[in-house]
């Protein structure tokens, strides 16, 4: 068994393959438990891991989109990967997480992988100018019951956990430095998980407890395998803001930046809420 | 046959249903042809239409994500809809477009539908202050061969078609008023199509012709059926900007606003490019 709890959590065993459909077995991990199910980020990472370790996988992930359909219970689950289309340089996958005797689908996802080429490149989005991670106080999470919070070092620059119970805010932006605990070199799976590290933006807007949960997450990977190696276990700057809160759902948009100023991923979520 | 070319283009006939998988037959429409295949927006609309007219469909679309896997050839295609999970208030769908004797998957998609509830609502994104549509000049598209451009009234406020051959721009933002030609009341399908009305942002960045095409599109629907009715056939303000251009892929983010200031949809794309 791998040593790092992250690697334990995303570990999968291939069960069977038939007609481009592969089945993988995994299990929830107590270290990444949220309130009534696993941290959504570890679930995203696990579905991505199934494709990454597929013998037919070619290229790097460029997009991953998941919709969360049902709560995931503690224990075993199955992941099904299906390579639905491929060219010489791209692959299109369907991925699902199923649980229970009836094979209920708890997560429905699609992903695209591609071989990268050298081209003209430019980043139009601007990395915010913020204090470096080592000058930013570490957030204490003792007051929160969610186990997964203890698997990250969170250093909030703005819009932190202390702001979600202090009344409404008109701006729901959060900026924070994030790294795995214990330290772990960033890869595609941990980057996917970090894309879900943001608490629902409505906590800041309302400034009071309410029910909310991610129902859809979209990730565009800008980093390739080589540029991730350069990040190593350094903290990444994670920035999120709310977009529109309307009739039970809102969306939030986020970026994950390396310390060196490279945009590693852009990501969006649709979040269900009740008030 | 419906009169409006849009309704003709998204028309589908149910072929068969077995075990929650339904098959639908449609065909490409010359009025929405792009360069070597249909306009990506009409394809997105057609996949959404398959779910919308499904007898088991409940609620409004809240998210739709498509990856474009292969060129769609002129002629017939099949759409397969699969209701993979449902609760009392949500539905999760897988949708694919297939073509050819071997049933090659050309589009791989997932969608989430939900019954909306009245809640606290607020829009954190700001609608740009721009001139009204009636004071904005109509873009002439005679110089462009793509048929689908003639199916929209495009009134550019910024970052228009005239700017894509005039050398590089550091900002790839476009703002334009968009409505269907001939006029047609907005619905979920036409809103999905409009989410793809933006040319690739790299055209503005590079200011010179190059190859580019959408490979993934994500849409969050903020409008519900009732609020769409209020928009009618009025033009909608469509705003897009590039995010990060790197090693063969870039992403762009966009919003679609009603004249009255309601955010109807937020949408993102990942676009392949070659230079």
């Amino acid at each position: 068994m791998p040593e790092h709890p992250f690697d334990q959590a995303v570990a999968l065993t291939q069960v069977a393959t038939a007609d481009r459909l592969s089945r993988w077995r995994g299990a929830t991990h107590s270290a990444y438990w949220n309130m009534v199910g696993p941290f959504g980020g570890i679930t995203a990472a696990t579905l991505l891991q199934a494709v990454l370790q597929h013998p037919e996988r070619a290229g790097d992930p460029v997009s991953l989109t998941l919709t969360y359909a049902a709560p995931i219970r503690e224990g075993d689950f199955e992941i099904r990967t299906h390579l639905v289309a491929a060219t010489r340089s791209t692959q299109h996958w369907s991925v699902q997480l199923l649980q229970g005797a009836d094979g209920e689908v708890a997560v429905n996802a699609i992903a695209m992988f591609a071989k990268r080429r050298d081209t003209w490149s430019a980043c139009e989005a601007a990395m915010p100018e913020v204090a470096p991670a080592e000058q930013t106080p570490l957030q204490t999470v003792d007051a929160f019951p969610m186990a997964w919070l203890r698997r990250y070092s969170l250093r909030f620059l703005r819009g932190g956990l202390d702001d979600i119970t202090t009344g409404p805010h008109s701006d729901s932006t959060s900026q924070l430095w994030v790294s795995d605990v214990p330290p772990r070199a960033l890869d595609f799976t941990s980057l996917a998980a970090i894309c879900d590290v943001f608490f629902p933006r409505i906590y800041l807007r309302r400034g009071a407890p309410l029910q909310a949960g991610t129902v859809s997450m979209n990730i565009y990977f800008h980093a390739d395998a080589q540029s991730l190696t350069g990040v190593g276990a350094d903290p990444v700057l994670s920035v999120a803001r709310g977009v529109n809160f309307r009739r039970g759902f809102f969306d939030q948009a986020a970026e994950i930046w390396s310390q060196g100023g490279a945009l590693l991923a852009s990501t969006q979520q649709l979040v269900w809420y009740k008030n």
Side-chain angles (χ1 to χ4, degrees), chain A:
Chain A
M1 181 173 287
E3 268 191 38
H4 198 290
F6 188 93
D7 294 295
Q8 294 171 9
V10 302
L12 294 170
T13 310
Q14 188 163 1
V15 182
T17 292
D19 193 24
R20 295 221 261 184
L21 176 74
S22 295
R23 296 165 52 204
W24 312 79
R25 187 150 303 149
T28 60
H29 195 297
S30 58
Y32 287 89
W33 200 251
N34 191 23
M35 297 292 281
V36 293
F39 165 48
I42 203 74
T43 302
T46 307
L47 272 79
L48 184 62
Q49 172 68 5
V51 180
L52 282 167
Q53 73 179 44
H54 196 291
E56 288 185 54
R57 187 265 295 189
D60 289 333
V62 293
S63 80
L64 171 68
T65 310
L66 314 96
T67 69
Y68 297 86
I72 298 169
R73 294 180 301 279
E74 192 179 354
D76 292 346
F77 53 75
E78 181 175 307
I79 290 181
R80 294 189 184 166
T81 56
H82 188 193
L83 178 58
V84 298
T87 66
R88 274 179 305 172
S89 58
T90 63
Q91 290 186 332
H92 293 259
W93 295 83
S94 286
V95 193
Q96 294 182 330
L97 187 149
L98 302 89
Q99 213 177 28
D102 298 337
E104 185 194 25
V105 174
V107 183
N108 196 30
I110 56 176
M112 182 177 165
F113 280 60
K115 291 179 184 155
R116 295 266 182 179
R117 291 169 301 104
D118 285 326
T119 60
W120 174 87
S121 295
C123 189
E124 189 163 332
M127 183 180 182
E129 289 181 28
V130 298
E134 61 271 21
Q135 293 174 23
T136 310
L138 186 66
Q139 171 79 43
T140 56
V141 294
D142 300 344
F144 299 92
M146 300 85 94
W148 72 270
L149 281 176
R150 289 150 184 81
R151 299 277 61 80
Y152 290 99
S153 156
L154 306 171
R155 297 171 185 274
F156 282 94
L157 297 138
R158 181 176 164 187
L161 287 166
D162 300 332
D163 298 316
I164 65 177
T165 50
T166 55
H169 299 76
S170 59
D171 180 331
S172 69
T173 303
S174 284
Q175 297 174 334
L176 64 157
W177 290 106
V178 180
S179 55
D180 285 294
V181 173
R184 181 181 178 279
L186 195 68
D187 59 18
F188 287 116
T189 54
S190 61
L191 178 57
I194 287 172
C195 286
D196 193 39
V197 80
F198 310 99
F199 54 78
R201 301 294 91 195
I202 197 161
Y203 291 179
L204 281 172
R205 289 302 303 258
R206 303 292 278 161
L210 79 172
Q211 286 181 272
T214 303
V215 293
S216 183
M217 179 161 70
N218 183 58
I219 301 172
Y220 296 139
F221 295 95
H222 295 294
D224 49 40
Q226 194 178 351
S227 56
L228 285 175
T229 305
V231 175
D234 288 346
V236 292
L237 179 65
S238 307
V239 181
R241 77 209 71 86
V243 181
N244 194 24
F245 305 76
R246 185 163 188 278
R247 296 200 70 204
F249 294 92
F250 72 88
D251 56 339
Q252 57 188 55
E255 295 85 36
I256 313 293
W257 301 86
S258 76
Q259 281 185 334
L263 183 55
L264 303 172
S266 355
T267 180
Q268 302 83 29
Q269 292 199 0
L270 190 72
V271 183
W272 166 90
Y273 68 98
K274 188 173 180 178
N275 77 329

